[in-house]
Amino acid sequence: MFDLEPSDPGTESGNAASSCVSIKIVRTEEQLSMVMQRFTAYIIQVTAFGVVSEVGHRYGDFETLHRSLLTDCPHLRLPPLPPKGVDGTDAAVIRSRTVELEKLMRTMLSMPEVLTEKNLHFWKFLELTNPTIITTRFVAVPHSRGSSFKTLGKLVDPKYKDDIFRVAHPAVVELLMEGLQELRQGQSNSGHWVRHGGRTVLCQLLGAALGASETIRNKLLQQNLMGQLLGLVERDEEALDDARIALNIIVARESERMDALMASLLRSGGLSQLAALVQRERCQEFVAKLLWLSWEKAVRGVFAQPGGQGLRILQALLRSNSGLCALLGGVLLGGLVAGGEFDEEPGHRTEAVRLVRESLSNTDGADDPAFGKTLCGSNGAMVKLAMLTEDPELAPLVLGLLCAAKPQPAKLSRIAGNLAAVVSDKTGTRHSEETRARAAELLLHVQSGGTADYSTSTSRSSAYGGGGSAGQSRGSWSQSDGGRSGGYPSSSPAPVELERCEGIAEHEESLDAALRRQLEDGFSRSHESLQTRGVAVHEAADMARRRLKEFPPLSFDSVAQAFASFKSSRDMWRSKSQESEMLLHDMQRQLSELKVARPSTLDPHTYKERLLAAERIYAEVKSQREQLAAAELEAAEKQARADTTSSESRQAANQVRQLEDEINSLRIQRSEKEMQATRLQHRASTPNVDAMRQQIEASIERSVSRAKELQTIGQRVNQGDPDYLRDGESKQQKIAQLTQELATLKKQHEALVQQKQDLEFDPVKLQEEASKLQSEALELHRKSEELEHRRLEADRERGTKMTSSTIDTQEARAAQDRRQMIATQLASTESEARRQMSALQPMIQDHHAGWQRLLAQQKKLDADHSALNSKLEEVNRAAASENSTRAALAERIDSLIGDLHRMQGFLDEVAAAAPAVVPTVPPPVLDDFEHPAQVTSHSSVPPQQPRGNVFEESEEVNDVFRDDYIPQAHTTTLEEESSSPVPASPMAPAYSADHSPHAATSSLAAIPSAAADEPDAGADAPHEASPVQAAAEPKKDDLPDFSEFDF
């Protein structure tokens, strides 16, 4: 957890807390307390580092906070609280308190004493977490920034992953950059706050900020953060691991534009920084990996200046004691060559290729998984490696390096198309057999992982587009289709992909040819080397048989130690000689087996016929697929035509139906108008209209008179006149009766008025209206006749379209049937193709496994060559040891010559029969793909260095890649060791004409040298002395691990 240690309050003016935390009372709410009393809660909106939260407090909580702060900080000057004793629920009081309380909170936020007090009253009041508190203190309280910075470093712990975003706040980042500049100045006694937490914490926080916000990351990169970090390492190489924390984030998040960032860095002084760093052994691997991650055209152009710092950086990497750095340096320089940076200067290109060849010819350390991860870790790295394989001079070196590194098949499968193109030689580059053999071995390695697509068809033959120009080919690469895998898993059969059938015979034939050439070359080299080594083994065995005779036992204490050493050396010599003979016999057996070995038991002609059969059936599948596509297109067209005619038929039917509806509507309207005209005519011819009006008017007058009478009676009843009440009848009953009668009379009056109005008409006008309605009815009849004619025409058109629709539907159904038939045939053919491919796939797997087995046998034979060399050297050392221990034993027994007469005779006999050990110098063991012309003997004269070397520095520099510079340890042959002076007894006789006559003064001669024992071979058959292996290289310092730059 965060340890929020209290800090001493200071007197700093100006506060940055508001940039991190803001406070505002946004509203008030009326709430109930636990005792059901109403109170006003002030809702505070707190925005801390972009996170918005709300917290509610009543007035009493503010009062408690105010009192607590004044108690813990007596010298604190806080504004007073709003007055108490008024109605807290009054609207005016609430508004006034809201303003005053918000002002009080902001004042507290601006006071360092409040922010740093130990009980955290203010922070608890706002309900903020410890990460927010410590980050705000770091920004807002300068006097306690040192301790806050140290605590802030805990945010990088994974358990605070949800809180790390606060570090990406602009105010925090600005302070971190200030701390980085302070560290670059290197004033350790400056007392700056960054000295409290240290460099590691600062780099961790910068890395967290880079990863948390893309905006901040872009801003920091614009401020040359990479240059600042490199400058930090340049000042103190111990800062490398810390700076790498932030650089890892940059590489991980900005991998797509890493080349642009690196080019910008180099143009702004980064080249000088790298030149300084590469001179330090600990930083060389870091520089090499950083360059490899961004080795695109923009970066390569900066390094390709003749005699510039860029080439001196590459030269330093090539001379590095670290094998990984030297290999990466060679790959980087090869990138300049493949990228065309030296095309304008053929001499420079030739020198660069020579340096690349010298660097990559020694692949010691390439099998380290860390190197393979660095070399092939990212997609961009595979693009660059694919570019190198296009250069005929660089391709065998790069492919040899990949063969030694053996990266993961899944990684290598991204350039499987390029490798297949090299094997098939479809790129027009005319690769050598050596290059094709390397590519074939890599393809087998990819096949063992079951992830590659070896298809060499036009669309997937190469990562660069096959036979395109160099300028077109250097910008793209291809990756195997994520949904398909063309490889052959070794454990279980993969789903059969029919597309692999295309070109499979040619591909497999090219692969077989390349692998067969590799095995033939290895067989030839092994045969020649084994013959030479066999002579040396037989000579050593013959010498051992002549000299290793049974000797009389000795049990004298005075010679026990010398005798034990002598016996041990003899046993060792015998053991090593026997082991070398056994190894020679085993290698001869392997060579005999390899000579007649075949990759599989399947007949090659039968195998090729099966491959061609798979291609033929796939061609049939493609043809049927084209027929199916054409049938589907035809069926779709006919179905569309049928749908169109059917739609037209439905539209015609709808039109007929619409016309019928309109005709029926017009007929109904005509009938209505005719009925209205008839009614009007009847009404106009009504008899006695005047008499009827008079009767109705009389009835109306009577109803009005009766109504007035009822109203008068009602008024009298209301006034209490009893004359209008019957016996036992109350006033209310009478009023109700009158009211009911009056309502009935009113209805009768309304009916009479309506009858009167109905009789008030003009017969002439009614006749005119009736005539008008009859005319309208005739017009509607005419329109209906016209519509009936149109309906008949539409009905005939509907019949025609229905017939067309039926014909089109039948044709569409026939086309669908044909498509279905072709689809059935295609499914049957595809099933047969899959069946054949399923049967062929195990054969291909067995064939490839056979090639891998033969390659493994050939590699084992090469390894046995090295082991045989070692055995011969061990035999030489054992012989030399026997010689020296024998001499030492002779010295010790010389003083006991009288008691050791039998031993003297034995030693004389052995010495007389001992020939010189002159083993034949074995030729160097070649790599699987190494051409004999590339091997340079240590004793050969080094090639003359070209003048005007673009890679030479201005001052005299020893070129560690020149043959004459390779440090040679002092080698001593057995002859030289044996020819050294040996103390002789005064009684030793002259044993050889080459020895001094003073040595022949004893019957027991001093142990002669091996050169004296061996009969002179004469000038006609000289023997070269086998040099003793030079001392092992000094142990290299551990270089910084930059493996996090792997994606």
Side-chain angles (χ1 to χ4, degrees), residues 826-859:
L826 176 60
S828 176
T829 307
E830 286 182 344
S831 176
E832 176 63 21
R834 288 190 174 89
R835 186 191 64 77
Q836 292 190 15
M837 194 61 193
S838 299
L840 182 61
Q841 185 168 334
M843 300 180 186
I844 297 176
Q845 290 180 346
D846 183 63
H847 197 67
H848 287 182
W851 279 119
Q852 287 183 315
R853 184 175 61 257
L854 293 179
L855 284 177
Q857 291 178 1
Q858 191 265 332
K859 289 181 180 295

Side-chain angles (χ1 to χ4, degrees), residues 122-139:
F122 180 70
W123 302 110
K124 293 178 181 178
F125 184 81
L126 297 179
E127 298 182 3
L128 294 178
T129 60
N130 287 351
T132 301
I133 299 171
I134 199 61
T135 310
T136 307
R137 284 182 176 179
F138 173 69
V139 174

